[in-house]
């Protein structure tokens, strides 16, 4: 019979702030028709699209913000 020893490792999930991390991105989506604006690095750029869209579609008042935030798993100590 073979004997096995198992070790467990703790991990932490945190924002990826490494230099090579994927950039943060903001997108506004019209909740009425589902159309999305262009991906933007700043929220202000994304909200400008929503203001243009409501001018073209005056009855579309509801929007959602979609945000891409890079995260990473960091290995911790062994137990």
């Amino acid at each position: 019979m073979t004997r096995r020893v198992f070790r467990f490792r703790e991990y932490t999930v945190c924002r990826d702030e490494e230099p090579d991390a994927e950039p943060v991105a903001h997108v506004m989506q019209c909740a009425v028709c589902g159309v999305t604006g262009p991906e933007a690095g700043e929220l202000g750029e994304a909200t400008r699209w929503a203001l243009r869209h409501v001018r073209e579609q005056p009855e579309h008042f509801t929007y959602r913000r979609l945000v891409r935030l890079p995260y990473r798993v960091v290995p911790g100590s062994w137990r």
Side-chain angles (χ1 to χ4, degrees):
M1 184 166 133
T2 306
R3 184 170 171 235
R4 293 183 180 176
V5 176
F6 293 95
R7 293 177 64 194
F8 298 95
R9 192 169 197 178
E10 294 181 4
Y11 291 89
T12 303
V13 178
C14 61
R15 287 278 308 268
D16 189 352
E17 296 179 354
E18 296 292 323
D20 63 343
E22 185 177 20
V24 174
H26 303 271
V27 174
M28 294 297 288
Q29 181 181 41
C30 177
V32 178
C33 66
V35 174
T36 58
E39 189 176 288
E42 298 292 327
L43 178 58
E45 296 172 39
T47 56
R48 281 191 283 282
W49 173 84
L51 295 173
R52 284 193 306 272
H53 185 71
V54 78
R55 276 188 237 120
E56 297 167 2
Q57 304 292 329
E59 66 282 356
H60 294 195
F61 292 115
T62 310
Y63 294 83
R64 63 180 63 96
R65 180 176 116 186
L66 309 174
V67 182
R68 182 182 65 218
L69 295 173
Y71 278 77
R72 66 184 297 120
V73 175
V74 179
S77 60
W78 291 94
R79 298 201 286 168

